[in-house]
Amino acid sequence: MRPSGRNLDEMRAVSIETGFTKHAEGSCLIKMGDTHVLCTATIEDRVPPFIKGSGLGWVTAEYGMLPRATNTRMRREAASGKQGGRTVEIQRLIGRALRAGVDRVALGERQITVDCDVIQADGGTRCASITGGWVALRLAVNKLMKTGDVISDPLVDPVAAVSCGIYAGQPVLDLDYPEDSEAGVDGNFIMTGSGKLIEVQMSAEGSVFSRPQMDQLMDLAEKGVGELAAAQKAATA
């Protein structure tokens, strides 16, 4: 039995509220159970120096957690003068995941920065950030297309992510914190809406896993990403 009472292949309740902030070109508040992330997308008519003059666009991301996103207060990273290694790793993951679904030629020589701020954490914050980040990106690109700044849609395939793992010896979908903290195997699966893999992060936290178990987790991830892609589509319709 899962602590939440969910079935092994059951996602947490997912909701995506678009237009959550006033000023960003694209924004949403995504809730995956008790994990809540504010995602905003900002369009800039510039690109990093290493692709300047190439005609290619760029999508990047930044990630952070509010001090009381967890059960005890975390010190703001700004107070220490630098980002932690976990933060840097996650925002790089978000950026390269979102870029995998973008035609950078069609985007043109501009940059879209997706900011993911965790308001409340209960496991799976990077997965929620990627899934919500895509929605914010979709809304920002819609504005570019509406104004005629972009002619053909540069977003070729939705991108979403979900965590899967082995908890109490059973493969489970969409781990919340009680499961994540005790899982023998934990993984993040980033996929396109059409089911293609972008990145898989798997690790044995307390026990090793077999190839058949890996296949079971892949099947769960496909199911979960399919549901998330449907939620993304409904939110941006």
Side-chain angles (χ1 to χ4, degrees):
M1 176 67 70
R2 303 179 71 173
S4 63
R6 287 182 285 146
N7 294 327
L8 299 180
D9 64 348
E10 184 179 351
M11 295 278 292
R12 292 174 288 181
V14 177
S15 70
I16 303 174
E17 181 181 348
T18 59
F20 194 76
T21 65
K22 177 180 178 179
H23 300 294
E25 283 78 19
S27 71
C28 76
L29 177 69
I30 182 169
K31 297 181 179 180
M32 295 180 65
D34 284 334
T35 289
H36 302 170
V37 184
L38 171 62
C39 302
T40 58
T42 301
I43 301 169
E44 298 174 282
D45 290 323
R46 64 179 183 87
V47 291
F50 64 88
I51 58 170
K52 191 172 183 179
S54 67
L56 297 174
W58 189 249
V59 175
T60 188
E62 293 189 12
Y63 168 95
M65 295 181 70
L66 296 184
R68 280 313 305 265
T70 55
N71 59 355
T72 58
R73 185 184 187 277
M74 298 177 297
R75 189 183 184 200
R76 293 182 190 273
E77 289 183 321
S80 63
K82 65 177 182 178
Q83 291 179 311
R86 177 182 180 274
T87 297
V88 172
E89 183 266 324
I90 290 176
Q91 64 188 27
R92 286 178 176 171
L93 170 68
I94 298 167
R96 65 178 178 265
L98 296 178
R99 286 193 297 274
V102 177
D103 179 345
R104 292 168 54 205
V105 174
L107 180 60
E109 201 163 315
R110 58 177 55 84
Q111 174 172 282
I112 301 179
T113 301
V114 177
D115 288 291
C116 302
D117 293 288
V118 179
I119 298 172
Q120 183 171 282
D122 187 41
T125 62
R126 72 188 67 194
C127 293
S129 295
I130 291 168
T131 304
W134 179 264
V135 171
L137 181 61
R138 171 77 273 174
L139 296 172
V141 167
N142 285 351
K143 289 192 175 182
L144 286 172
M145 295 179 66
K146 186 176 181 179
T147 59
D149 293 320
V150 168
I151 306 303
S152 60
D153 190 355
L155 302 189
V156 294
D157 208 353
V159 174
V162 71
S163 64
C164 300
I166 297 176
Y167 173 79
Q170 296 287 337
V172 296
L173 174 63
D174 190 22
L175 283 72
D176 54 25
Y177 181 74
E179 294 170 334
D180 187 32
S181 61
E182 296 184 14
V185 176
D186 181 21
N188 299 300
F189 297 79
I190 307 164
M191 305 172 70
T192 66
S194 60
K196 294 183 176 64
L197 286 168
I198 296 173
E199 188 160 339
V200 177
Q201 300 178 326
M202 288 288 298
S203 59
E205 303 287 349
S207 61
V208 295
F209 57 99
S210 66
R211 175 63 180 268
Q213 287 176 315
M214 176 70 175
D215 292 340
Q216 287 179 305
L217 295 177
M218 281 295 311
D219 290 341
L220 288 174
E222 285 187 2
K223 177 181 184 294
V225 167
E227 294 177 17
L228 291 171
Q232 289 172 323
K233 183 177 180 180
T236 56

